[in-house]
Amino acid sequence: MKFQLFILPTVPGTIEDGERLRPIARNNERFQEMIDQTRQICILADELGYDCFSTTEHHFHSEGFECSVAPMVWYADLAARTKQIKFAPLGLVLPSWDPIRCAEELAVLDHLTKGRVIAGFARGYQDRWVAVLGQKYRALGTASDETPTDVRNRMVFEEMFQIIKAAWTQDVLSYKGQFYEVPYPYEEGIKGWPAQEWTSTHGAPGELDEEGVIRGVCVVPKPYQQPHPPIFNAFSVSENTIRWAAKEGTIPHIQVSYPSEFTRLCHVYQDIAAEHGRELKLGESVGASRCAYLGKSYEEAYKLATGSLGWTYADYYNQFGFAEGFRYPGETAPKPLRFKDKEDATNRLVDQQYALVGTVDDVKRQIESLARCHEDGELEWFGYLVDQGLYPIEQVLEQIETFATKVMPEFKD
């Protein structure tokens, strides 16, 4: 397997700090502390042989948790401090992006790092910022619930994705979709371009028609990796997303963790990929996003998990309906499913094998089953979520090092 280290960039501080310094995310001293911790984590991960470093993309998180703005700016800084580790946003929320800017920025980062980029895309679930930044598409954050909001979000996402791929692979981009046109306006083209002779002589053939009207644009640069960087799908819980990823050849990071359901989705991906000409082993081109908490005993590891993961799921992610992703097959509990408290959240996440908790040997055995896709497969990517900002940086670094030196060698490619 390949190993991805994943953090939710969080402004360090206690609950009391968050109340006393509100909004803590605009406290420059604390924000600098978060930057410093992220650098320490990424540099150590590079030295220890992790394959990839990732963050989410979120905006307006004044509360300080998951304050992951401008991920590609961060990656440029981190790339300059590291040697081998790749960088993958999980993910850039396409219904909030201009697709050409997204294509350009990823391509530039790919050049700056000489190919240490994996593109990562997501649909977005938080209205507070998706509604603001995605307003030109009238896109909103969504759960995978097939409501009109969800359907529109998916339509925008898929169109932006196609434009990005076209911008990377075509010398001249010309596109007319439901939400975006190149050039704009598409039918008329762009008239009166002053540098017609210059573009006709030096630009990409086909940008101008015979009358000097702009009929397409050449997006530069093309990516360093050809035809483009590999592509992740972030935190896939919907079968529709798994099917789409298999058709498009992207790598889904599957958040669903209940073993039988995870294995079923791996089979769905394999089957749909085969229908589109890609013969894959079970688990090939698939990632699993999980948490791991290591201790000298199960009790020590469980306490660490409860204080960070349990707390975030009970007090924060509960509000966004994340508990539904951990419903047991056939479970008839009322919808939406809710965690009662941090112990209830931790217990379910452990039982569903999303949180891998215990001694080094305990966690190894849990990963051993996951690495086979709980059957007879070979999982390609393991995404390891570490709780930066929620407990002291020394503990974070210790967990990262222990996992890399005691767990990874048994499974790493």
Side-chain angles (χ1 to χ4, degrees), residues 296-309:
K296 295 176 181 177
S297 66
Y298 177 85
E299 290 73 23
E300 180 182 306
Y302 178 85
K303 182 178 180 181
L304 189 62
T306 304
S308 53
L309 180 73

Side-chain angles (χ1 to χ4, degrees), residues 361-393:
D361 285 340
D362 292 335
V363 171
K364 276 185 179 181
R365 298 292 71 80
Q366 293 172 73
I367 294 178
E368 185 176 49
S369 178
L370 179 59
R372 299 193 308 270
C373 300
H374 308 295
E375 199 173 87
D376 188 25
E378 295 181 26
L379 183 68
E380 184 169 342
W381 280 94
F382 180 90
Y384 171 31
L385 173 62
V386 176
D387 295 322
Q388 176 274 327
L390 299 181
Y391 50 98
I393 186 60

Side-chain angles (χ1 to χ4, degrees), residues 20-217:
R20 177 173 58 87
L21 298 174
R22 62 184 298 202
I24 193 170
R26 285 179 65 86
N27 182 293
N28 281 350
E29 181 180 344
R30 295 298 179 100
F31 199 90
Q32 282 289 317
E33 189 177 348
M34 177 177 69
I35 291 173
D36 181 64
Q37 289 189 5
T38 301
R39 287 171 175 163
Q40 290 184 60
I41 289 169
C42 192
I43 290 169
L44 179 62
D46 183 51
E47 293 170 351
L48 291 171
Y50 285 87
D51 295 285
C52 181
F53 176 83
S54 292
T55 65
T56 49
E57 180 196 15
H58 286 298
H59 302 269
F60 314 151
H61 280 207
S62 61
E63 309 89 350
F65 176 63
E66 205 170 355
C67 194
S68 46
V69 297
M72 286 184 284
V73 176
W74 285 47
Y75 300 157
D77 175 87
L78 295 170
R81 302 168 190 271
T82 54
K83 296 178 181 179
Q84 300 178 52
I85 198 165
K86 295 178 184 287
F87 297 91
L90 271 186
L92 301 178
V93 176
L94 294 190
S96 73
W97 273 84
D98 180 281
I100 292 179
R101 283 191 183 275
C102 189
E104 290 173 338
E105 291 191 22
L106 281 165
V108 168
L109 184 63
D110 200 32
H111 276 273
L112 291 173
T113 63
K114 291 190 175 179
R116 288 198 284 148
V117 170
I118 301 172
F121 301 135
R123 294 206 294 133
Y125 68 93
Q126 294 188 10
D127 274 353
R128 177 169 64 172
W129 70 267
V130 176
V132 174
L133 300 185
Q135 60 185 282
K136 64 183 176 182
Y137 311 122
R138 291 184 286 118
L140 300 174
T142 182
S144 296
D145 54 10
E146 300 186 15
T147 61
T149 294
D150 180 45
V151 170
R152 185 178 184 85
N153 177 288
R154 186 177 293 278
M155 289 169 61
V156 174
F157 172 88
E158 292 184 6
E159 183 168 314
M160 299 306 109
F161 176 82
Q162 295 301 335
I163 295 168
I164 290 168
K165 283 188 68 177
W168 282 339
T169 57
Q170 298 175 12
D171 285 343
V172 176
L173 173 63
S174 178
Y175 183 91
K176 181 175 175 60
Q178 182 175 349
F179 306 103
Y180 203 88
E181 296 180 4
V182 183
Y184 184 83
Y186 180 82
E187 303 296 345
E188 295 179 29
I190 299 171
K191 300 176 181 178
W193 173 238
Q196 290 179 27
E197 184 176 346
W198 173 257
T199 300
S200 296
T201 305
H202 296 87
E207 289 183 80
L208 303 178
D209 65 16
E210 299 80 1
E211 297 178 353
V213 177
I214 293 177
R215 294 297 180 183
V217 299

Side-chain angles (χ1 to χ4, degrees), residues 278-296:
R278 298 167 63 225
E279 296 295 334
L280 304 174
K281 294 178 289 188
L282 185 67
E284 186 178 357
S285 198
V286 170
S289 295
R290 302 291 185 268
C291 301
Y293 297 89
L294 299 160
K296 295 176 181 177

